[in-house]
Each structure stands twice: as structure tokens, then as C-alpha cells.
């Protein structure tokens, strides 16, 4: 397959090459997310077997919370046992939105637009039904409880 792909490269224009690179990066990212989700699932199953299930932090309700990876470089929004990974930069953007001095309606709309623009994959895991979904308000609360914005 690598030979076949290498043979196609000279025949592609710049736009075609950029498209292939972007698709490869998306695919690699998805593979990494799948691998991390499988690891988290195995860890959750192991914790369940040992009688020490680990609940996501940040919400009085166990169906929505946040987990931080051991190396503190990946963050997970956990909804009903489904884990969505975020990078440092992504979580900081979400923290800024969740901590903004605006009402819940505006925060929900801003979160929705951010997911729509930056991380459409979230909609496939967390059933957000629009800009006014109460789940977005709860998500903002969970994010705000777990992270503080430091102003200089």
C-alpha cells in the first residue's frame, strides 16, 4: 500500500496532497483516541473487578465529569461512561468559555459553536441536541468546578 501511495504522489496537485495529509492526521488522531478509550475501558473494568470504581470528578451526578491523565497532558470529558479526550490547549479554550462572565444561555451557545468548529466528533459521543441543550450548561459547570482561570 505504501508503494501504491508513493506512486500516486507525483500525479497529485498541491490541493490533493494537502487533503491526504489532513486525512492521515485525522485518522492517526482517531486511532490514538480509540487506543486511549480502550485503555480507559480496561482500567474501568479492572477498577470494577477490584471493587474500587473510579468516578469522574466534577459533578454531583456520576454521568458527567472530567478525568485528567496521569501525565496531566490529556483531559477527558466523561459522559455516561464514554470518554472524549482533549489536549491542554483545547481544555483551556473550554475553561475560558465556561468561566466567561456571561449567562448560561451565552455559555451554552459558545460551547456548542466551539464544538461545532473545533471538535465535531464530540457530537457523536455526547448527545448534544443544540445550542440550548441543558447538557452544555452542566458541562460548563463541571469545567468551571475543575479548572480556574488565572488572570494576570
Amino acid at each position: 500500500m505504501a508503494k501504491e501511495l508513493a506512486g500516486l504522489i507525483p500525479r497529485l496537485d498541491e490541493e490533493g496532497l494537502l487533503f491526504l495529509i489532513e486525512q492521515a492526521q485525522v485518522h492517526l488522531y482517531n486511532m490514538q483516541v480509540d487506543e486511549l478509550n480502550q485503555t480507559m475501558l480496561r482500567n474501568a473494568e479492572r477498577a470494577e473487578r477490584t471493587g474500587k470504581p473510579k468516578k469522574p470528578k466534577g459533578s454531583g451526578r456520576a454521568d458527567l465529569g472530567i478525568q485528567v491523565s496521569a501525565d496531566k497532558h490529556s483531559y477527558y470529558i466523561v459522559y455516561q461512561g464514554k470518554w472524549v479526550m482533549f489536549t491542554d490547549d483545547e481544555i483551556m479554550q473550554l475553561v475560558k468559555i465556561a468561566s466567561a462572565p456571561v449567562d448560561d444561555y451565552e455559555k451554552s451557545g459558545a460551547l456548542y459553536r466551539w464544538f461545532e468548529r473545533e471538535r465535531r466528533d464530540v457530537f457523536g459521543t455526547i448527545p448534544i441536541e443544540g445550542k440550548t441543550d441543558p447538557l452544555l450548561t452542566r458541562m460548563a459547570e463541571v469545567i468551571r468546578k475543575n479548572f480556574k482561570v488565572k488572570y494576570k
Side-chain angles (χ1 to χ4, degrees):
M1 284 189 271
K3 266 187 170 181
E4 184 178 351
L5 183 58
L8 293 172
I9 290 174
R11 297 173 36 205
L12 293 171
D13 61 2
E14 184 178 352
E15 184 179 333
L17 289 171
L18 288 171
F19 175 78
L20 287 178
I21 290 168
E22 182 179 302
Q23 290 301 305
Q25 290 170 336
V26 167
H27 186 70
L28 289 170
Y29 175 81
N30 288 339
M31 287 172 43
Q32 182 184 19
V33 168
D34 287 342
E35 183 178 322
L36 288 169
N37 284 336
Q38 289 300 318
T39 300
M40 293 302 215
L41 184 60
R42 282 192 301 273
N43 289 344
E45 288 170 352
R46 187 177 311 121
E48 211 169 273
R49 281 194 307 273
T50 62
K52 300 175 186 173
K54 190 173 182 182
K55 292 182 182 175
K57 297 187 306 183
S59 173
R61 301 163 88 174
D63 66 336
L64 180 66
I66 292 184
Q67 284 290 334
V68 181
S69 67
D71 66 3
K72 295 188 175 37
H73 290 294
S74 300
Y75 301 85
Y76 301 87
I77 292 180
V78 184
Y79 178 74
Q80 294 183 343
K82 297 175 186 166
W83 298 62
V84 182
M85 184 185 81
F86 294 89
T87 64
D88 284 332
D89 291 336
E90 291 172 327
I91 206 72
M92 284 311 302
Q93 290 175 37
L94 293 175
V95 169
K96 287 178 184 176
I97 293 168
S99 301
V102 296
D103 63 24
D104 288 343
Y105 178 79
E106 290 181 72
K107 282 181 193 176
S108 294
L111 281 173
Y112 185 86
R113 286 187 299 278
W114 188 88
F115 288 135
E116 195 171 44
R117 185 179 63 249
E118 302 291 335
R119 291 292 306 274
R120 293 189 66 77
D121 62 298
V122 170
F123 298 126
T125 306
I126 302 174
I128 298 169
E129 296 183 8
K131 294 177 185 177
T132 59
D133 191 321
L135 186 53
L136 290 166
T137 303
R138 287 185 39 225
M139 195 178 293
E141 290 170 5
V142 169
I143 292 168
R144 220 175 27 255
K145 286 179 185 176
N146 282 278
F147 301 96
K148 302 293 180 224
V149 176
K150 294 180 182 177
Y151 298 99
K152 293 180 181 182

